Amino acid sequence: MSRRARKPLAKKSERGNKRGVKRSTDKRGSGKPSFGGPDKRPGGKFPPRRPAAEFSAKPMREPRPEPVREEKAAPPPLPTKVQTVVVTADENNMRVDRFLEHRFPGLSFSHIQRIVRKGELRINGKRADSKDRLEEGQSVRIPPLKLDTPKVGGELSEAATKTLEDLRKMILFEDADVMVLNKPAGLAVQGGSGMTKHVDQMLEAMRDAKGQKPRLVHRLDRETSGCLLIAKTRFAASALTGSFRHRSARKIYWALVAGVPKPKQGRISTYLAKEESEEDSIMRVAAHGDEGAAHAVTYYAVVEASAQKLAWVSLKPVTGRTHQLRAHMAHIDHAIVGDPKYFNKENWELPGGIQKRLHLLARRIVIPHPRGGFIDVTAPLPPHMLQSWNLLGLEADRFDPIENAPEE
């Protein structure tokens, strides 16, 4: 392939349309993806692609041995009355929810969200959001808390042992600081109304001798499977959260969509805002300046098509908005197969044998390791997507053109 054909998408001719999509085509009219081949230049956005057999989550260092659970006296009862605490230097720039988890290890995620939502937690006398960041010296008013004091030491219960086994089966990569899980479709990341099992709850089984548990670094939708990054230490949590905030993390998703996008690669740029209803909430395409609207950018590339009715697309989100990929693909009229919220094609029937489940996989994540180097992990196709790939004759080891899409 000529050097000219490998130019980044952002430098090719682009044109907008009423749907907010900037598109790019190969000037030779070949119809082939024009993001270019594997990036061999120094400082490429993604490391060169390795064969599928080699592209596994190999630890960058030897995993830390399982901690020895020592018998220790239970900690004193945690306070359950109104109190005011001052943010320390070590807690500077920490998110409100992480601050509460750090100060009160037994506090559940749902309880944190509840006291914040009700305005019971105040920073310098003002209401706070769980994502707000604290500054050294600020006063935080904490309401009475209902705490589940963590068990320290001793034998794990039968249920906790089973949970730990389930988590171990999901691990794609692990070292002393970081863990990447292959989250199955249908398992929620965090709790919600009527939610009895979720990853955040399961991580309780991995609390260490000090009562600290591994922490979520990002989120996946309940029906989305694939790479879920977990920080095992506070140090790692701070570093990894910073990488997401500064967009140093690169993520690739695979999806099966209705129809074949034309051209076969492009950039979707819109504003998204949450739209609430009595039954559910979705993200709608909004105008700049609308209340709650946030800018969202996604690159897409068609990897392979099936009879012009379905297409395997690779997606690279630049931003990380709620339901971004699902809303964006529906916006360009190529909704993801099996999406109960955004698939709105009338009289459209799935080919025989394909399950009506969300066909979206968090395929690959590349992010700087807190102690140097990179974490680079891929997840396999979940069973329902593997079945669809086999039925449609799609080759899962094909080169993924999205790897060389721009980062902005």
Side-chain angles (χ1 to χ4, degrees):
M1 182 179 290
S2 68
R3 184 172 184 81
R4 184 179 182 184
R6 290 201 303 270
K7 290 182 179 179
L9 175 68
K11 294 185 179 180
K12 288 184 177 287
S13 59
E14 298 182 342
R15 59 184 179 88
N17 63 17
K18 64 182 180 180
R19 297 185 297 184
V21 185
K22 293 182 180 179
R23 303 194 168 187
S24 171
T25 55
D26 192 318
K27 291 183 179 179
R28 297 173 299 174
S30 65
K32 296 180 180 179
S34 58
F35 287 144
D39 191 349
K40 298 179 181 179
R41 297 167 296 173
K45 299 302 181 183
F46 273 91
R49 187 71 169 178
R50 301 195 296 275
E54 298 178 11
F55 198 49
S56 59
K58 296 179 180 179
M60 299 172 65
R61 55 184 63 80
E62 289 298 320
R64 182 174 62 177
E66 287 294 318
V68 177
R69 296 184 175 272
E70 302 175 358
E71 294 287 348
K72 294 188 177 182
L78 295 166
T80 56
K81 62 182 180 180
V82 175
Q83 59 181 307
T84 300
V85 299
V86 177
V87 179
T88 66
D90 288 342
E91 295 163 337
N92 185 55
N93 202 39
M94 187 180 287
R95 278 177 37 155
V96 168
D97 52 2
R98 301 300 186 204
F99 169 81
L100 291 171
E101 287 180 351
H102 170 64
R103 288 278 185 135
F104 309 105
L107 194 60
S108 68
F109 171 79
S110 59
H111 193 60
I112 291 174
Q113 296 300 309
R114 185 163 57 253
I115 62 176
V116 171
R117 186 173 61 251
K118 291 182 177 181
E120 295 175 349
L121 183 136
R122 304 238 168 194
I123 299 175
N124 287 351
K126 298 180 180 179
R127 293 183 64 141
D129 185 88
S130 60
K131 295 181 181 179
D132 289 346
R133 294 191 176 272
L134 297 168
E135 296 178 6
E136 180 184 358
Q138 286 182 324
S139 295
V140 182
R141 176 197 181 275
I142 299 173
L145 302 175
K146 295 179 180 179
L147 303 169
D148 298 324
T149 305
K151 294 180 179 179
V152 179
E155 294 295 326
L156 289 175
S157 67
E158 184 177 343
T161 300
K162 176 63 168 61
T163 297
L164 194 58
E165 291 175 357
D166 291 342
L167 283 170
R168 292 295 177 197
K169 291 176 183 177
M170 298 182 202
I171 293 176
L172 295 171
F173 168 89
E174 183 181 23
D175 64 14
D177 296 290
V178 182
M179 182 166 60
V180 181
L181 302 180
N182 180 21
K183 187 192 81 67
L187 176 63
V189 172
Q190 291 178 313
S193 178
M195 199 73 63
T196 57
K197 183 180 181 180
H198 50 87
V199 175
D200 197 36
Q201 173 215 36
M202 295 175 72
L203 292 174
E204 292 284 348
M206 300 186 76
R207 283 190 182 274
D208 61 20
K210 295 181 180 180
Q212 296 292 319
K213 75 171 186 178
R215 304 173 184 184
L216 298 169
V217 178
H218 69 127
R219 314 287 186 267
L220 293 178
D221 293 342
R222 181 176 182 176
E223 295 303 325
T224 301
S225 63
C227 297
L228 181 66
L229 191 62
I230 307 291
K232 296 176 66 176
T233 62
R234 182 184 164 196
F235 166 75
S238 177
L240 295 172
T241 300
S243 292
F244 277 99
R245 187 166 63 250
H246 298 300
R247 297 183 183 176
S248 300
R250 286 107 188 185
K251 296 176 287 183
I252 287 180
Y253 289 74
W254 281 3
L256 188 68
V257 303
V260 182
K262 293 182 181 179
K264 290 188 174 181
Q265 58 188 241
R267 177 179 184 267
I268 308 171
S269 176
T270 72
Y271 284 83
L272 295 176
K274 182 177 289 187
E275 186 174 89
E276 301 282 357
S277 66
E278 293 183 1
E279 298 180 353
D280 208 347
S281 65
I282 63 170
M283 300 301 290
R284 63 175 177 84
V285 173
H288 179 44
D290 283 0
E291 183 179 358
H295 191 213
V297 177
T298 301
Y299 285 94
Y300 73 86
V302 175
V303 183
E304 195 171 359
S306 177
Q308 299 303 306
K309 185 170 183 178
L310 295 167
W312 160 18
V313 296
S314 189
L315 303 164
K316 185 178 181 181
V318 176
T319 52
R321 311 304 177 200
T322 301
H323 296 175
Q324 176 176 318
L325 302 180
R326 298 162 65 181
H328 268 175
M329 294 313 294
H331 175 61
I332 64 170
D333 201 31
H334 294 287
I336 298 175
V337 169
D339 192 332
K341 286 180 179 282
Y342 298 92
F343 197 98
N344 53 10
K345 288 184 172 292
E346 296 182 2
N347 302 319
W348 197 90
E349 295 183 3
L350 280 171
I354 294 181
Q355 299 181 47
K356 193 175 181 180
R357 300 182 64 186
L358 183 67
H359 282 59
L360 181 61
L361 165 70
R363 170 66 175 176
R364 183 182 182 192
I365 186 166
V366 181
I367 189 170
H369 193 283
R371 301 189 187 277
F374 282 82
I375 301 165
D376 186 352
V377 183
T378 55
L381 287 167
H384 70 284
M385 288 181 69
L386 180 60
Q387 180 185 37
S388 299
W389 258 238
N390 290 336
L391 287 168
L392 298 171
L394 303 176
E395 301 176 7
D397 59 352
R398 288 184 62 130
F399 169 69
D400 191 342
I402 204 72
E403 291 181 8
N404 298 298
E407 297 294 328
E408 56 186 13

